[in-house]
Amino acid sequence: MHPEAAQLLAMAGEAAHQGRFGQALPMLSHALALDLEGTAPAYAELLAGLRLTGWPPQLEADLATCLHAGSVDPQSLARAAARMLLAKYPEPVVAEDPLWAAFLTRCINVDPAMEARLAWLAGQALPAGLREALAAQAFASEYVWGGEGLGVPPVAATEIAEERRLAAAMPSLGDSSDQISRAVRIQYEANPYPRWHAPAGRQPVSVAAHLAALGAPQAEPLAVLVAGCGTGFEPIDLARMDASLAITALDLSAASLAYGQRMAGALGMGAIRFVQGDILDAAKLGGRFGLVSSTGVLHHMERPADGLAALAEALARGGVLRVALYSERARAWVVEAHRAIAGHGWDASPAGIRAFRAQVLALPAGQPLARLRESDDFYTLSGCRDLCFHVREHWYRLPAIGEMLAAAGLELLMLDAPPEAQARFAQAHGAAADRRDLVLWDQVEAAHPQLFAGMFHLWCRKRD
Ligand SMILES: C[S@@+](CC[C@H](N)C(=O)[O-])C[C@H]1O[C@@H](n2cnc3c(N)ncnc32)[C@H](O)[C@@H]1O
């Protein structure tokens, strides 16, 4: 990285940490001009956290720059860009503006006021460029707010055709005999999730070295299984991080896998092996894996313990499993959503999801369900279905996860908790307490029920 940019970045980080954003922003602007790709991730992180009320032109220029930087996932800036555009154009107008174009084509909207503006725009006579950009936005959000009349963008039509072809040719372990797996497959064949656009570039990282640092060194080249890979973000991210990995990506949904395979091809990660099938049939993949990762998947199975056992079985001797599961406390409000949906009799069709969303969008702030509007998943059909209309969902307390791991012959290496949770743990139990003690963590979570809103992420190792 450019040395002066690095220095400015450090000073700006310190100023922002102390809440002196007025000082931090010009330093970041300068650093961005010196070293775009090196500075953009830190600047984007700061921008994403800002609560914008005005529209400073320099900030707008920097935001547009960051939206196009290869080292930044533009989606992380969706909220900031929407707020800046609404601050710039408080009244509905048709304006051709590069920031509008960047926002509409590079982000999926996640702001309720912007959603209303998009629906309004779709009803106006628009210049061709803006109309095309709005059509891309409407397609990306799966017409959750309307916009069907704008038509499917030609690029998207080509991508859909390619995904159909890839899905039809997808290698498969065969049909699952599990009823819930079949129902889950139907959900994700109709609504592959998550929809993602443009991942941030990755610095090279040795995954094997990471596992060795966790105390679980593995034979190389490392064979990795991403179990329930959805639309392929995780296997592609891993492949971009570490080209030495031999990655298999497994999912029930051929449509989700096809999305991932298309993206892998576009990003030059064609060596990933995509396979359709049930985790319960993982033994059919052949071979054993030094690392298995399963994020947000097992809690959608009828018997997650059976899924965990199948994954433990797929591990090589001493292999590592990384698993992420929903917290019962953090998801309590989803129970409210399920109750409201059942009460109104809404189904998971596009019409049912839209009716539910309309109700949530109309709620006054402060109502428990109004917080759904803060979730990015609320703003696409597939995301909203995954969030509130799932055919099967289990929620966990940490001690129960500990028991499930032990029963599968797995030993906990680490609970990968966010910094805030780590600080709370130290406050509650002292710096020397055992951070692998899930009962101690459970006490921390009881006092701070939203601490694991981003799921419990656990690293474990197969016992010898
Ligand atoms: C919520 S999505 C998560 C996708 C991805 N892991 C991520 O973090 O973005 C859950 C995925 O798990 C897959 N899945 C659920 N049960 C499965 C099973 N028994 N075997 C294989 N995949 C499964 C679904 O098809 C879906 O794509």
Side-chain angles (χ1 to χ4, degrees):
M1 184 175 191
H2 190 289
E4 196 184 335
Q7 213 176 8
L8 282 164
L9 207 55
M11 281 159 50
E14 185 59 31
H17 187 66
Q18 295 170 5
R20 293 182 281 114
F21 294 108
Q23 284 174 14
L25 290 173
M27 288 193 260
L28 284 167
S29 276
H30 191 181
L32 200 62
L34 289 170
D35 182 346
L36 170 72
E37 295 298 344
T39 305
Y43 198 169
E45 200 180 322
L46 185 80
L47 280 171
L50 277 184
R51 295 208 67 85
L52 291 167
T53 48
W55 156 64
Q58 183 57 47
L59 206 57
E60 179 187 344
D62 292 344
L63 177 59
T65 303
C66 289
L67 278 171
H68 286 102
S71 53
V72 171
D73 177 354
Q75 189 55 29
S76 67
L77 291 168
R79 232 171 228 105
R83 288 190 184 136
M84 189 170 290
L85 282 162
L86 291 171
K88 185 174 178 185
Y89 301 105
E91 297 302 324
V93 286
V94 173
E96 282 195 278
D97 180 319
L99 188 59
W100 265 117
F103 169 70
L104 292 173
T105 55
R106 299 193 55 79
C107 304
I108 300 176
N109 175 53
V110 290
D111 180 276
M114 176 55 84
E115 183 169 313
R117 182 67 65 88
L118 296 175
W120 176 86
L121 262 183
Q124 309 304 306
L126 301 175
L130 184 55
R131 192 184 156 83
E132 256 171 51
L134 189 61
Q137 175 67 208
F139 175 80
S141 54
E142 299 161 272
Y143 305 105
V144 77
W145 49 263
E148 293 91 334
L150 297 162
V152 177
V155 175
T158 311
E159 290 171 354
I160 292 170
E162 188 185 348
E163 285 170 28
R164 288 209 178 115
R165 188 180 54 74
L166 290 170
M170 191 63 64
S172 171
L173 301 180
D175 281 344
S176 173
S177 56
D178 183 274
Q179 280 219 339
I180 288 299
S181 294
R182 285 164 177 264
V184 168
R185 179 174 182 188
I186 289 170
Q187 169 172 343
Y188 289 103
E189 292 293 8
N191 294 99
Y193 167 90
R195 317 274 291 202
W196 56 282
H197 261 350
R202 271 292 191 177
Q203 293 297 325
V205 171
S206 162
V207 174
H210 182 72
L211 299 184
L214 273 177
Q218 302 298 317
E220 293 188 62
L222 184 60
V224 179
L225 170 63
V226 182
C229 68
T231 46
F233 186 89
E234 186 178 349
I236 292 172
D237 199 39
L238 280 167
R240 296 176 93 204
M241 234 190 281
D242 184 339
S244 74
L245 303 176
I247 302 176
T248 299
L250 175 71
D251 202 279
L252 284 171
S253 158
S256 302
L257 290 160
Y259 187 102
Q261 200 172 18
R262 176 179 63 74
M263 290 297 259
L267 292 163
M269 301 292 129
I272 299 171
R273 173 191 175 210
F274 288 91
V275 183
Q276 187 279 327
D278 193 331
I279 282 172
L280 294 170
D281 295 325
K284 292 187 192 165
L285 286 168
R288 300 282 172 118
F289 299 89
L291 172 65
V292 173
S293 180
S294 191
T295 307
V297 181
L298 295 178
H299 49 223
H300 293 315
M301 297 180 71
E302 178 64 351
R303 286 175 301 281
D306 291 356
L308 190 68
L311 293 183
E313 194 52 40
L315 284 172
R317 213 159 162 245
V320 172
L321 173 68
R322 180 179 176 275
V323 66
L325 295 166
Y326 283 147
S327 150
E328 179 184 307
R329 293 189 179 99
R331 299 280 291 183
W333 53 279
V334 174
V335 181
E336 288 297 314
H338 283 226
R339 207 171 285 146
I341 288 164
H344 283 86
W346 289 314
D347 62 16
S349 65
I353 296 171
R354 286 198 188 103
F356 167 67
R357 291 186 79 258
Q359 169 115 345
V360 171
L361 284 167
L363 288 173
Q367 290 278 320
L369 281 187
R371 60 175 303 172
L372 282 169
R373 302 193 295 243
E374 291 161 29
S375 165
D376 288 7
D377 285 336
F378 184 68
Y379 294 89
T380 57
L381 273 187
S382 53
C384 194
R385 185 168 183 184
D386 186 80
L387 182 66
C388 298
F389 286 80
H390 212 288
V391 296
R392 180 62 89 240
E393 198 163 300
H394 298 265
W395 303 295
Y396 287 94
R397 297 257 175 116
L398 280 164
I401 296 180
E403 286 165 23
M404 195 163 70
L405 295 179
L410 295 161
E411 164 199 11
L412 181 66
L413 292 170
M414 176 174 78
L415 174 70
D416 199 353
E420 188 199 345
Q422 298 286 0
R424 300 271 184 213
F425 184 96
Q427 243 171 24
H429 301 302
D434 181 2
R435 287 183 190 234
R436 285 180 305 174
D437 186 331
L438 295 180
V439 174
L440 294 185
W441 273 111
D442 186 56
Q443 292 165 7
V444 177
E445 196 203 15
H448 307 282
Q450 286 305 310
L451 216 46
F452 293 97
M455 296 193 275
F456 297 124
H457 293 260
L458 304 111
W459 292 83
C460 10
R461 179 176 48 184
K462 188 172 181 171
R463 288 182 201 281
D464 290 336

